[in-house]
Amino acid sequence: MSQPPQPPSQPPQPEDTPKGFGAPQQPPAPGFGAPQEPAAPGFGAPTPPPPAGPPSTPPPAAAPAYGYPQAPGQQPGYGYPQTPPPQQPGYGYPGQPQQPGYGYPTPQAATQPMQPQYATPGAPVPGGQGGGKKLNTQMTIIIAAVVAVGLIVGGGIWYAGKDDGKSDAKQGDTGGAKGDGGSATGGGGKEKVPANTAGKVLFQTPQPKVTDLTSVHGSWLTDKVYAKSGVKEIVGYDPVKGTQLWKLPLTGNVCESTTHVSADGKTAFAFESQEAGAKVASCTEVAGLDLNTGKLLWQADIKGANGDRKTRFDEVTLGAGTVAAGGLDGGAAWDLNTGKELWKPTTTADQCKDVGYGGGDALVAVRKCGDYDKPTINIQTLEPKSGQPVSTYKMVPGVQYAHIVSTSPLVLAADVGESAGDGSGISDFFSVDAKTGKLLARIPAPGDKYAASCDGTSVEKCKMVAAGNGRLYVPTEQHENAAGSSSVGRTNEIVAFDLTTGQPVPGKADAGDGYTLYPMRMDGNNVIAYKDAPYDKGTQVVSIDGGSLKSTLLLENPADRAVRDAITSFSPKYSEMLYGNGRLYLGAVLLSKPYSASDADKKFLFMATGTS
């Protein structure tokens, strides 16, 4: 079982609950997801029932990251009518009301302004003679410039530059495409378009019995295995059949995990341990895991400065072969393969400590100094084996919590002066040269216009945003369908910004009437995105060309009501979503006790859909 985490020693800062995206949901078809008899497996293709695991509850806010309450647990399904009972408060969260599902207009959302439209090469010339004429190069440049100026004048949609607002585009390389802002191209992705994009349910596991809020952070995907944490265990499954390949029992529940996986299929996670005399378990144990074999590579913990208790960690990541964990007491690191301790939590005389890290191809620390009310936050690219800083960027004043969207290219997010106003944790993005620590561009992302989100206090838990190919890809908030549309509903777009200049890139990826589109991750120079659907359609996964922003369908899930209700119970913001090789895996991060027997039948630990 997972007890609520101990409250942080520092006073928490309140965070507004994100506005709901959609309409009230109808109860899903009864019985879906209940354990099936061998002769009648769950809906979809027959599959051997994998071991039971936790439900598809809202993502837990796990242990609060450096002194801030976490976001609520997984929200109910969106895009389909439901009337669920009041959601229990998230793991370690001060019980905020659950937001409604996606895919349907809300009174507040309906008042939001339409999103800016960007000039696209080849589009009809506004006010021109006829609708089919393409823009020549000169006209494209002129329109792009006019759009940019209009955006500045019309409400500050973007600007680039240092803290004083002036551009510093000459500094270094963002890790993406070279050259000027519009030169990035797509391609280079590994995900291929299947011959048949129609998907089906491959397998699903109902949640195990729990009596309290239970953390089940962690799901990972390699070519050989899909692994998911359950109640005091991690289980590896065949990624196509869902049959169990291995099981790793644990002494506590997985409380933190990283999404990063090494080239040879290794990752890291943290799990709970209950010390003698303690009333609740705490997130103190860090471990390395070989996903392909299920072997626990090593397990480690660190005693506090006074030696009377283990250090609690609020986040863990994997960067350049180093496992790094951060929390209220500072950061620590271990070698991924051997578990050798590389450094321990320390706090300097001026109250500086690493509160968290971003991983991937590089390792970047968020270092917080000074008092709680007016901290100084530095972003440091580290040498991954020694922890010594390679470069340092000092965040602008007015930032309490900094988030790392990507380490390569280095992209940060923050709610400057708590101005976002929507609980997203993001008012601005910052593109930084990792080699020199120089700011390349600051990109405002007003909360009422863009839908990306970072967990309030966590360093690396940002969702629905992607960075690569020299660009930042961000979804807009939902708005009404275009004028003249035959359907009633909401839609949105994914837009891109150049990471060197901060300027918006011409064009956009339209979700389509009644659909909403959210980035999941980069795939080479392309973006893999999840596409929520109207209530009578199936959700989709698409590949967006990183240069042209053209979408290509990879997977369309069944529109059958029972299937759709199960899929949409996993939201993009509050669930674990992985896509690879034509298959979509949806996992819960927080389990709660069912309200009734019928409610238990509708809760899942995870499910998988795909074309094969």
Side-chain angles (χ1 to χ4, degrees):
M1 105 98 237
S2 166
Q3 297 291 339
Q6 299 177 6
S9 60
Q10 298 172 339
Q13 297 290 318
E15 178 182 352
D16 293 335
T17 303
K19 300 290 188 295
F21 286 91
Q25 313 292 309
Q26 290 181 1
F32 173 73
Q36 306 292 322
E37 295 296 329
F43 68 85
T47 60
S56 64
T57 44
Y66 57 99
Y68 198 98
Q70 300 300 300
Q74 180 183 349
Q75 65 182 10
Y78 53 91
Y80 210 94
Q82 284 183 3
T83 359
Q87 180 76 20
Q88 296 188 34
Y91 182 73
Y93 195 84
Q96 296 183 356
Q98 180 179 357
Q99 73 178 37
Y102 290 79
Y104 203 88
T106 63
Q108 182 161 0
T111 65
Q112 293 177 347
M114 294 290 287
Q115 302 304 313
Q117 305 297 310
Y118 304 117
T120 306
V125 181
Q129 301 295 321
K133 295 185 178 180
K134 296 182 181 260
L135 300 175
N136 58 31
T137 304
Q138 183 177 9
M139 182 59 72
T140 301
I141 295 173
I142 293 173
I143 288 180
V146 170
V147 170
V149 173
L151 289 174
I152 297 172
V153 175
I157 301 301
W158 68 270
Y159 67 94
K162 296 184 177 180
D163 300 347
D164 58 3
K166 295 180 181 179
S167 177
D168 188 26
K170 295 181 180 180
Q171 298 294 342
D173 168 21
T174 64
K178 313 286 185 188
D180 59 21
S183 64
T185 58
K190 295 181 179 179
E191 303 299 341
K192 306 302 180 185
V193 180
N196 181 5
T197 57
K200 61 183 179 182
V201 174
L202 299 177
F203 51 90
Q204 69 279 336
T205 292
Q207 80 166 41
K209 291 182 179 180
V210 295
T211 58
D212 204 343
L213 292 175
T214 302
S215 173
V216 287
H217 276 279
S219 57
W220 305 270
L221 181 64
T222 73
D223 290 338
K224 298 179 180 179
V225 66
Y226 168 69
K228 180 73 186 87
S229 62
V231 177
K232 294 185 178 181
E233 66 180 12
I234 299 175
V235 181
Y237 303 92
D238 182 284
V240 180
K241 301 175 183 178
T243 50
Q244 181 177 311
L245 300 178
W246 52 261
K247 179 187 289 188
L248 176 65
L250 300 169
T251 57
N253 291 311
V254 176
C255 44
E256 295 294 341
S257 65
T258 176
T259 58
H260 302 297
V261 177
S262 67
D264 57 352
K266 296 172 183 174
T267 192
F269 63 95
F271 63 100
E272 296 171 332
S273 175
Q274 189 163 347
E275 297 186 76
K279 294 182 179 180
V280 296
S282 187
C283 194
T284 58
E285 310 302 305
V286 179
L289 171 65
D290 187 325
L291 291 167
N292 292 327
T293 65
K295 179 183 178 182
L296 188 70
L297 300 174
W298 50 268
Q299 176 183 339
D301 55 56
I302 292 179
K303 289 286 187 180
N306 53 11
D308 63 349
R309 65 178 179 84
K310 295 179 180 179
T311 298
R312 170 180 170 162
F313 296 106
D314 299 324
E315 229 174 324
V316 64
T317 194
L318 169 62
T322 293
V323 176
L328 288 172
D329 295 326
W334 302 263
D335 181 87
L336 172 63
N337 294 309
T338 66
K340 176 185 176 182
E341 185 180 291
L342 301 178
W343 64 83
K344 289 184 176 182
T346 57
T347 301
T348 63
D350 53 352
Q351 296 301 304
C352 290
K353 57 188 174 183
D354 293 351
V355 292
Y357 302 89
D361 292 336
L363 186 64
V364 178
V366 172
R367 190 164 180 79
K368 197 170 187 178
C369 302
D371 59 27
Y372 177 80
D373 293 328
K374 294 182 178 180
T376 297
I377 297 179
N378 293 320
I379 310 300
Q380 295 183 326
T381 298
L382 304 180
E383 198 290 314
K385 296 307 177 185
S386 67
Q388 292 301 308
V390 175
S391 67
T392 299
Y393 168 67
K394 183 178 179 179
M395 292 295 296
V396 297
V399 172
Q400 284 278 358
Y401 303 99
H403 313 286
I404 298 176
V405 175
S406 167
T407 60
S408 181
L410 181 51
V411 179
L412 315 171
D415 185 0
V416 182
E418 299 183 351
S419 59
D422 63 345
S424 66
I426 305 172
S427 66
D428 298 81
F429 293 100
F430 301 81
S431 173
V432 177
D433 186 324
K435 296 178 181 178
T436 64
K438 299 294 184 180
L439 179 68
L440 300 174
R442 177 174 170 178
I443 306 169
D448 61 346
K449 293 181 174 64
Y450 300 104
S453 177
C454 295
D455 182 85
T457 63
S458 299
V459 167
E460 205 178 25
K461 295 179 182 177
C462 294
K463 291 195 172 186
M464 304 187 298
V465 59
N469 192 35
R471 296 179 173 185
L472 176 69
Y473 299 91
V474 186
T476 67
E477 288 284 2
Q478 293 182 352
H479 56 80
E480 293 179 358
N481 290 332
S485 170
S486 59
S487 63
V488 177
R490 315 278 292 170
T491 188
N492 81 330
E493 301 81 35
I494 288 177
V495 296
F497 296 87
D498 185 280
L499 288 175
T500 302
T501 67
Q503 297 183 9
V505 174
K508 59 185 176 179
D510 284 300
D513 287 354
Y515 288 85
T516 47
L517 194 57
Y518 304 105
M520 294 173 64
R521 63 173 174 86
M522 297 299 298
D523 176 33
N525 289 335
N526 298 332
V527 180
I528 302 299
Y530 180 77
K531 195 171 178 180
D532 186 33
Y535 74 92
D536 56 346
K537 305 290 184 182
T539 60
Q540 301 176 358
V541 176
V542 299
S543 175
I544 299 174
D545 185 278
S548 67
L549 299 181
K550 177 183 177 182
S551 295
T552 301
L553 179 65
L554 298 176
L555 170 67
E556 184 166 18
N557 290 314
D560 172 84
R561 176 174 173 177
V563 178
R564 179 183 167 78
D565 285 347
I567 291 173
T568 56
S569 70
F570 298 91
S571 78
K573 188 173 181 179
Y574 294 121
S575 302
E576 296 167 340
M577 289 189 168
L578 302 174
Y579 177 84
N581 298 320
R583 295 178 288 273
L584 175 67
Y585 303 86
L586 307 169
V589 292
L590 184 69
L591 308 181
S592 60
K593 182 179 179 180
Y595 299 105
S596 64
S598 60
D599 181 52
D601 292 342
K602 304 164 191 172
K603 289 182 174 289
F604 292 86
L605 173 62
F606 66 84
M607 67 182 296
T609 67
T611 57
S612 63

